[in-house]
Amino acid sequence: MFLLVSASVPAQTDRFQCAPLVPSKARQPAYGAAPGQPRCEGFYEKNVSQPFLELVSLTRSAPGSLTVDAEGRLSLRGSLKLDTRLVIQPMRSNPLYRVDAGLSRGASVGWSSRTMLQATGLQLRDLGFLALVGAEPMVLAPVSTQVGDEGHTAYAVLRPSVAVSSLSWRAYRLGSPAVLPGDWQALANKPLFAWERIALAIPLPTDGLSLRIDVAGLDSQGQALPLLQFVVLGANDDNP
């Protein structure tokens, strides 16, 4: 369940738009609206597509450093100035399970991980967190996963759907003054298997403005994968 712990934002309602996923026919709970709760949750069916690079988590804490309270809750927060869509999903390729919920600007939410972990058999360290504002390209706020988690680094977790021979990335400033893309930097020093995760530490501008991130990869045959692009919102951004 979700517990809103900031009284300064409007209360959420039980009406929440689920993601366009196909609910699982074989596993329960199947993805859909959670009864009496402002969220959607459950197992869903795989959607076959072309090879891709995927962002599965963007947080202010390094992967694997999550802590919960005595009741198994995480304290989650997105943007201070924009409402976001919280997505919680396994960083592994399986099982296909997802939680979607609204995350109001400036609010912290206490999320109990027990339902998801019991249904999937995963550990807390296996979960990824995204706070989405826009989709084309993805615009996200780094998710704070614990109180006081407000450093100047965002930690992205990426995974390719196929084996890759190389990955590289670049970051550049948005807003004013804008900065042109820099040189590509190697991200993977060795080939990666399909669905193997890799973490990227992204230094955030100290003035709280946005960064655009590009990630490029070559598959095991040397063919380019579709470019992954996403925008990391700064703490002072109020326009996606």
Side-chain angles (χ1 to χ4, degrees):
M1 66 176 292
F2 284 86
L3 176 66
L4 192 66
V5 295
S6 172
S8 61
V9 298
Q12 299 184 59
T13 69
D14 290 345
R15 294 181 179 274
F16 183 79
Q17 186 69 39
C18 293
L21 302 173
V22 178
S24 174
K25 298 178 180 178
R27 304 191 68 175
Q28 293 295 322
Y31 182 81
Q37 298 289 332
R39 74 177 190 275
C40 302
E41 182 170 359
F43 293 98
Y44 62 94
E45 301 288 348
K46 184 176 183 178
N47 181 25
V48 179
S49 64
Q50 65 177 345
F52 57 85
L53 294 171
E54 185 178 14
L55 173 68
V56 292
S57 188
L58 183 70
T59 62
R60 289 185 177 274
S61 292
S65 62
L66 304 176
T67 57
V68 296
D69 64 15
E71 298 183 10
R73 287 197 303 260
L74 280 168
S75 178
L76 304 175
R77 188 172 69 187
S79 171
L80 295 176
K81 298 188 176 183
L82 293 168
D83 294 339
T84 59
R85 182 185 186 94
L86 176 66
V87 176
I88 306 171
Q89 61 190 333
M91 291 191 290
R92 298 180 179 181
S93 59
N94 279 299
L96 298 178
Y97 190 102
R98 174 164 155 161
V99 176
D100 289 83
L103 194 52
S104 297
R105 68 193 73 180
S108 294
V109 167
W111 175 67
S112 175
S113 59
R114 290 177 177 173
T115 298
M116 183 174 183
L117 297 182
Q118 289 175 356
T120 61
L122 296 172
Q123 301 295 316
L124 192 63
R125 63 177 179 270
D126 297 320
L127 303 185
F129 302 85
L130 301 172
L132 296 162
V133 179
E136 294 293 339
M138 285 191 297
V139 179
L140 311 98
V143 178
S144 295
T145 55
Q146 54 197 19
V147 176
D149 188 10
E150 299 297 340
H152 291 293
T153 303
Y155 297 89
V157 178
L158 313 168
R159 67 184 186 193
S161 67
V162 295
V164 296
S165 58
S166 68
L167 286 177
S168 57
W169 74 289
R170 63 184 182 183
Y172 46 105
R173 289 278 300 270
L174 298 177
S176 180
V179 177
L180 294 176
D183 294 333
W184 290 96
Q185 304 175 59
L187 178 56
N189 294 320
K190 60 181 179 64
L192 299 178
F193 297 109
W195 306 113
E196 186 175 354
R197 303 190 302 271
I198 186 166
L200 169 61
I202 304 171
L204 300 176
T206 56
D207 60 6
L209 296 181
S210 298
L211 281 179
R212 182 186 290 271
I213 307 297
D214 297 339
V215 184
L218 299 177
D219 67 17
S220 58
Q221 305 302 314
Q223 298 297 311
L225 298 177
L227 184 69
L228 171 64
Q229 293 183 304
F230 58 95
V231 174
V232 181
L233 286 174
N236 294 330
D237 282 320
D238 58 5
N239 185 350

